[in-house]
Amino acid sequence: MTDTSSLTIQLTLAQFLAALTHPLAWAELSAVAVSVLLAWFVVRVLRGPKAPEGSIWFGRRIIDGVLFPTLLLALTYAARALLVTLGMPVTLFKIALPMMVSFAVIRLSVQVLSVAFPRSSLVRLAERTISWMAWAAVVAWITGVLPQVLDELDDIHWKLGASKVTLRNLLEGALSAGFVLVITLWISAAIEARLLKGAEGGQLSLRKVAANVVRALLTFVGLLMALSAVGLDLTAFSVLGGAVGVGVGFGLQKLAANYVSGFVILAERSLRIGDIVKVDQFEGRITDITTRYTVLRAPNGREAIVPNETLITSTVENLSLADRNILLTSPVSVAYGTDVPTLIPHIVEAMRQVPRVLSEPPPQVLLSNFGADGLDLTLCFWIADPENGQGNVRSAVNLSVLALFNERGVDIPYPQRVVRVAPPPPVVETAAAGLLVQPPRA
């Protein structure tokens, strides 16, 4: 760094130190303190005792949301304008305002990323990275280093097609693109929350695809605006766009197919969030449909991530597409000699006593087979809530029928086998040799 830059930094620091010892410095400190207290009070009143779930404006604490730093920045700027009008020095505000801008940028970025990616473990890392970058920029601005650094970065340049690109342009473009991405995620999250509010079934799937389309379009338009804002010629990226197109056509066929399949599934509503489906021997309830994959949750808690292309190209059993009622069966045997026609109405009534068994369609008992050990019966009953499990309701029906059998003395046969022991063949004694000769078997 040049001697002139070092001298400028020293003069700036000397001015700040002189301002801190100025007799009127207490007025600036008091104005900043009043702005902090007023912002805290307003946010506390608007937020209430507990922050709304998934809110960007309000966080777990008063200062965590976006509203507090934004309101604090506005109040501090108003206090500065008031002091300027009164003719008082505002040197300390040159430090306070950049710090508050940095604080607002940090909270905006972190809150939007937390709402957009609630389960991501990288949000904490992103928060630390953004915080370090923002505070470093504030220190560089206050000390006067930042303008010098920007001038040095502007001298590093190269050709990109017919355009001249500097390192400063790239950094400004990256920051602009990041800011636009944050604003895009904020807007898309607000639109998605509004679209999905109160929706269920087919409406939920259709509104979700609309939210995904809106997010993709906003992100694409925002990045184009960010690149244009820093002076980059978008035609310079035509070669890159062609390369990406070739890559999608050849190397990313599966990925592209999954994304297209996801939009098809969401648009035609053949599969909806909440449906009970069976895919490749895995049965579960659809808990989420994204543009690339679908999440199935089995009753035992296991989850399967199924690529959307699999749902389009393979056979999928949807147990709740047209009707949520599903038929369950359970086999049972009774001994031969049981009065089955008289027993069947009692079994049907016992199944009706189970809370989850539907009365319409009514349960049925079928004589399905004449088994080797007894009469094989099949218990048939319907349920309307397969998402609550099938094994538990089948067990409840079996227990109810077993109690009926014990009450009426109905025997459940067990395997019985008859073993016949053949007598040994007679033994003939030969007198001449004194030998025992066993005659041949017939």
Side-chain angles (χ1 to χ4, degrees):
M1 189 172 295
T2 61
D3 296 338
T4 305
S5 302
S6 302
L7 181 60
T8 302
I9 295 174
Q10 293 175 2
L11 291 176
T12 304
L13 293 176
Q15 292 176 357
F16 287 147
L17 292 176
L20 291 174
T21 58
H22 195 275
L24 296 180
W26 62 269
E28 295 183 78
L29 293 175
S30 300
V32 174
V34 169
S35 300
V36 172
L37 294 176
L38 185 58
W40 188 93
F41 177 76
V42 172
V43 175
R44 179 65 177 81
V45 172
L46 295 178
R47 192 194 72 161
K50 186 178 180 180
E53 187 68 24
S55 175
I56 295 177
W57 287 107
F58 303 101
R60 292 190 301 270
R61 297 176 297 178
I62 298 295
I63 64 174
D64 285 347
V66 178
L67 183 58
F68 176 78
T70 304
L71 185 60
L72 176 59
L73 179 62
L75 292 175
T76 305
Y77 187 81
R80 176 185 178 277
L82 178 61
L83 293 181
V84 170
T85 304
L86 297 177
M88 300 179 65
V90 290
T91 306
L92 293 181
F93 281 94
K94 295 181 180 180
I95 302 177
L97 287 177
M99 293 178 61
M100 292 176 184
V101 170
S102 178
F103 183 41
V105 170
I106 293 173
R107 296 318 309 166
L108 172 63
S109 304
V110 172
Q111 283 295 106
V112 171
L113 292 177
S114 300
V115 173
F117 309 102
R119 301 180 181 178
S120 177
S121 59
L122 298 178
V123 173
R124 183 62 178 173
L125 177 60
E127 178 180 3
R128 293 178 180 177
T129 303
I130 295 173
S131 299
W132 279 105
M133 294 177 59
W135 292 124
V138 169
V139 173
W141 174 264
I142 293 174
T143 58
V145 176
L146 185 60
Q148 301 295 330
V149 173
L150 293 179
D151 292 338
E152 294 293 335
L153 294 177
D154 209 13
D155 294 335
I156 304 174
H157 58 84
W158 60 88
K159 283 285 188 176
L160 182 62
S163 302
K164 177 184 176 182
V165 179
T166 65
L167 186 56
R168 177 177 178 176
N169 293 140
L170 293 181
L171 292 177
E172 291 177 351
L175 294 177
S176 300
F179 181 76
V180 170
L181 182 61
V182 169
I183 298 300
T184 300
L185 291 175
W186 186 0
I187 297 175
S188 62
I191 295 176
E192 183 175 2
R194 181 63 62 87
L195 289 175
L196 300 182
K197 184 178 181 180
E200 58 184 13
Q203 291 185 352
L204 178 60
S205 300
L206 189 60
R207 294 187 182 186
K208 191 170 182 63
V209 68
N212 290 336
V213 171
V214 169
R215 174 176 294 189
L217 290 177
L218 287 176
T219 303
F220 178 73
V221 174
L223 289 178
L224 292 181
M225 294 175 59
L227 293 176
S228 299
V230 298
L232 293 180
D233 187 5
L234 298 181
T235 58
F237 295 93
S238 58
V239 177
L240 179 61
V244 172
V246 173
V248 171
F250 290 97
L252 304 178
Q253 293 183 21
K254 291 294 183 180
L255 185 61
N258 286 324
Y259 276 100
V260 174
S261 300
F263 282 107
V264 171
I265 291 173
L266 291 171
E268 68 181 10
R269 292 183 292 176
S270 57
L271 299 175
R272 301 163 299 186
I273 296 177
D275 286 354
I276 307 297
V277 299
K278 184 176 182 180
V279 184
D280 290 339
Q281 305 303 318
F282 188 92
E283 182 176 342
R285 181 172 61 91
I286 298 178
T287 58
D288 192 16
I289 302 177
T290 67
T291 53
R292 189 182 67 84
Y293 60 86
T294 298
V295 180
L296 303 183
R297 182 177 179 84
N300 59 5
R302 297 174 58 192
E303 290 186 338
I305 299 177
V306 183
N308 289 328
E309 184 185 12
T310 303
L311 301 177
I312 293 294
T313 58
S314 61
T315 302
V316 179
E317 296 183 23
N318 194 333
L319 305 182
S320 50
L321 178 60
D323 190 355
R324 294 186 58 82
N325 298 345
I326 66 172
L327 175 66
L328 300 181
T329 60
S330 180
V332 66
S333 297
V334 296
Y336 280 104
T338 304
D339 189 359
V340 175
T342 304
L343 181 63
I344 286 179
H346 296 283
I347 298 177
V348 171
E349 185 61 29
M351 289 192 292
R352 289 181 185 271
Q353 301 303 319
V354 178
R356 292 178 56 192
V357 174
L358 297 179
S359 299
E360 187 63 36
Q364 295 180 341
V365 180
L366 305 177
L367 178 59
S368 56
N369 192 22
F370 296 96
D373 305 306
L375 300 173
D376 296 334
L377 305 179
T378 301
L379 311 181
C380 305
F381 55 94
W382 294 80
I383 62 173
D385 52 351
E387 66 276 2
N388 294 329
Q390 303 177 16
N392 50 4
V393 67
R394 185 180 283 109
S395 175
V397 169
N398 290 338
L399 290 174
S400 179
V401 173
L402 180 60
L404 172 68
F405 285 0
N406 293 334
E407 179 184 350
R408 300 185 62 86
V410 178
D411 292 332
I412 298 178
Y414 53 88
Q416 301 183 30
R417 299 293 181 265
V418 177
V419 179
R420 297 186 179 184
V421 180
V427 178
V428 180
E429 182 176 355
T430 304
L435 301 174
L436 296 178
V437 179
Q438 183 175 354
R441 294 181 180 273

